[in-house]
Amino acid sequence: RPGRMEVVRRWAVLLAAALTLAGCAPRAATEQGRTIGDLWVLFLVAAAAVGAIVYGLILWSVVRYRRRSQELPPQFRQHLPLEALYTLIPVVLVVILFVFTFRAEQRVGRLSDRPAATVRVEAFDWSWRFSYPDAGVSVMGTPDAPPELVLPAGEAIRLILTSSDVIHAFYVPDFLFKRDAIPGLTNEFDLRIREPGTYQGLCAEFCGLDHARMRFTVRAVPRAEFDRWLAEQRETA
């Protein structure tokens, strides 16, 4: 039977592992994803606090009221102040989390009045077409040759998402952001990529045989490089 110090050591190892795993969560590469990440941290802190209180009370009850004899401890049927307290606290906590969630969703879904670029994203079995209507440029991929979505970094980009056949999902893990592509509907949203870089994207809605191969790449570049890329694409077309 493990001693008290051994139990403490095991719990310390589990706590350190949990904190380490929490630190491995991806850092959002977009302003919208940063909002989602902050909301996730808030929920994590709230859950940790509730868990600490619950397990602390359980441990205290086990130690404080452990059986010392065969006699039953004092019994009571109700304690109205205590019952009101442990009913009120969860309600207040849920309301607070609801308010923060609503505010985060409003920030994430807010559209810029003047986006720096607009891209039409069309999902189909089993790849993507990225069209830049203002520049007359279109990039289409296949399962064997995933397309690349090139965007200017640090600016608000409007993406207009749709599907030509079944439901797909536009998902970039590093953005902490996902939106469904639904046939016959358009889903508009803005993204602001914080820094230049390359990010992997995929379809996150099972859509058929080659769903696992329905990938794409997002490459965020400085504005000058983005303009040069558009000019090269126009010349190639």
Side-chain angles (χ1 to χ4, degrees):
R1 184 177 180 180
R4 181 177 299 178
M5 293 305 298
E6 179 65 18
V7 173
V8 172
R9 188 185 67 82
R10 291 179 181 178
W11 278 101
V13 170
L14 290 175
L15 179 60
L19 293 175
T20 301
L21 292 175
C24 293
R27 292 288 293 173
T30 62
E31 295 290 346
Q32 291 76 9
R34 178 65 60 87
T35 299
I36 297 297
D38 292 343
L39 182 64
W40 181 86
V41 170
L42 174 64
F43 271 77
L44 176 64
V45 171
V50 171
I53 293 173
V54 171
Y55 285 109
L57 290 174
I58 292 175
L59 181 61
W60 177 79
S61 299
V62 169
V63 175
R64 174 66 178 79
Y65 298 105
R66 67 187 185 278
R67 175 177 291 186
R68 295 180 176 86
S69 67
Q70 297 300 321
E71 296 181 5
L72 288 176
Q75 305 292 305
F76 59 90
R77 293 184 178 277
Q78 61 183 9
H79 192 299
L80 293 180
L82 181 60
E83 294 174 5
L85 180 64
Y86 67 61
T87 300
L88 181 62
I89 291 177
V91 171
V92 172
L93 181 60
V94 168
V95 170
I96 292 174
L97 293 177
F98 173 82
V99 170
F100 277 94
T101 300
F102 178 80
R103 294 176 59 185
E105 289 183 348
Q106 292 297 306
R107 288 196 296 270
V108 170
R110 186 179 299 124
L111 298 178
S112 173
D113 294 332
R114 300 183 62 182
T118 299
V119 182
R120 295 187 63 87
V121 180
E122 181 183 358
F124 58 90
D125 286 344
W126 287 276
S127 193
W128 307 83
R129 178 183 291 106
F130 304 128
S131 302
Y132 302 76
D134 297 335
V137 171
S138 180
V139 177
M140 187 173 68
T142 67
D144 295 325
E148 184 179 64
L149 174 61
V150 181
L151 299 174
E155 303 182 50
I157 309 301
R158 176 70 45 79
L159 297 180
I160 304 174
L161 179 64
T162 189
S163 171
S164 62
D165 37 49
V166 299
I167 297 178
H168 301 276
F170 179 93
Y171 177 48
V172 182
D174 287 332
F175 293 176
L176 301 184
F177 194 88
K178 181 175 79 71
R179 284 293 184 271
D180 285 343
I182 302 174
L185 298 177
T186 56
N187 197 348
E188 297 189 24
F189 55 93
D190 285 1
L191 291 177
R192 185 187 296 270
I193 305 174
R194 298 171 60 85
E195 298 176 355
T198 301
Y199 311 94
Q200 299 302 316
L202 65 154
C203 174
E205 187 81 24
F206 182 69
C207 54
L209 181 64
D210 280 338
H211 161 73
R213 302 172 63 198
M214 191 171 170
R215 299 180 176 272
F216 62 94
T217 301
V218 179
R219 181 162 61 94
V221 298
R223 183 70 199 197
E225 184 176 343
F226 175 72
D227 291 337
R228 289 196 300 271
W229 178 84
L230 281 181
E232 292 172 357
Q233 295 299 311
R234 281 195 297 266
E235 293 177 0
T236 302

